Amino acid sequence: MTTELYPAPTFPVSEPLKWQAPDKVELTSTQHDWLCFEGSLTQRLKSNCGHFEVRLLGQQEMLPHDEECRRLKQSQPAVVREVLLYCDGKPWVFARSIFAKSAENNEQLQLSELGNRSLGDSLFQREDLTSGPIEVATVAESHVIGKLNQQWFSQSKPLLGRRRIFSTAGEQLLVSEIFLTSSPLYDHVLEVQSK
């Protein structure tokens, strides 16, 4: 069973990252295509595999990282939700979402009832959804997600992640996604050109 192959990390998992504009990071055309994709990542993952699954690692109120607080322009505790997105039995993406308690309690959004369902599916059904600019980060092998990737796939290499702020129903959600080496993002690593 997949849970035995990929033992779930202890929540909360993520550590701070340095986020920047996509043009500040060297990316292959495949990586740029995935990281700067504006639509629903959930739908794109589903179209690239036979079986898609969400594994909830945890969702509870806590103080986000300082850098996340600055990005959201608030310093209060918020709800942190972390999940793994599985495709065909393998974790492809680690996702971390941050939103206010008022968003979790918002009856329109029903975020408290998501469980092992996709946040993306829920958000992209909303007609009032808007999103901010995409930011990209390089995830070092020494980062906790890099170590997980090494543990699961025996590959020690930098990973790539992206994030953006979504606005809907009067609430803001900061959603970040780190692509593991099992994902299609790394299929064409040899295309890297020095800028």
Side-chain angles (χ1 to χ4, degrees):
M1 193 170 160
T2 52
T3 46
E4 294 167 5
L5 290 173
Y6 310 107
T10 304
F11 174 83
V13 182
S14 192
E15 298 168 342
L17 288 164
K18 180 187 175 187
W19 297 94
Q20 50 198 329
D23 62 3
K24 304 288 188 193
V25 182
E26 279 192 10
L27 302 171
T28 67
S29 57
T30 299
Q31 290 166 354
H32 188 277
D33 181 54
W34 276 91
L35 293 169
C36 297
F37 178 65
E38 294 279 354
S40 165
L41 179 61
T42 295
Q43 288 305 315
R44 187 162 193 193
L45 292 175
K46 285 178 177 178
S47 70
N48 276 269
C49 67
H51 177 67
F52 175 81
E53 188 181 351
V54 177
R55 294 263 175 89
L56 177 65
L57 300 176
Q59 179 171 323
Q60 69 184 59
E61 194 171 6
M62 62 182 65
L63 193 62
H65 304 317
D66 290 346
E67 190 275 334
E68 292 169 332
C69 289
R70 287 193 295 273
R71 186 72 184 84
L72 284 166
K73 299 187 171 118
Q74 58 89 15
S75 56
Q76 275 72 44
V79 178
V80 175
R81 171 182 167 86
E82 292 182 340
V83 301
L84 287 166
L85 307 180
Y86 280 71
C87 286
D88 296 329
K90 287 185 179 179
W92 276 17
V93 175
F94 167 84
R96 175 178 167 96
S97 307
I98 299 162
F99 42 87
K101 189 70 178 173
S102 58
E104 186 179 53
N105 295 333
N106 188 314
E107 289 185 6
Q108 294 180 58
L109 300 179
Q110 298 184 326
L111 299 177
S112 62
E113 299 162 22
L114 276 177
N116 287 319
R117 288 181 296 122
S118 165
L119 173 63
D121 269 352
S122 172
L123 288 181
F124 277 88
Q125 289 174 6
R126 297 193 52 79
E127 292 183 1
D128 68 339
L129 181 71
T130 60
S131 64
I134 290 172
E135 299 172 288
V136 172
T138 300
V139 183
E141 298 98 312
S142 57
H143 187 277
V144 64
I145 305 300
K147 290 177 180 175
L148 271 178
N149 189 75
Q150 160 74 21
Q151 176 189 342
W152 289 340
F153 304 112
S154 300
Q155 292 191 37
S156 182
K157 59 183 280 186
L159 302 175
L160 290 165
R162 68 176 201 159
R163 77 170 182 184
R164 56 184 161 163
I165 289 181
F166 291 99
S167 300
T168 183
E171 300 287 354
Q172 286 196 322
L173 302 90
L174 180 61
V175 179
S176 60
E177 296 139 344
I178 297 173
F179 292 79
L180 305 172
T181 51
S182 51
S183 74
L185 186 85
Y186 305 102
D187 278 354
H188 307 290
V189 172
L190 297 177
E191 290 176 13
V192 174
Q193 304 285 325
S194 58
K195 291 193 172 182

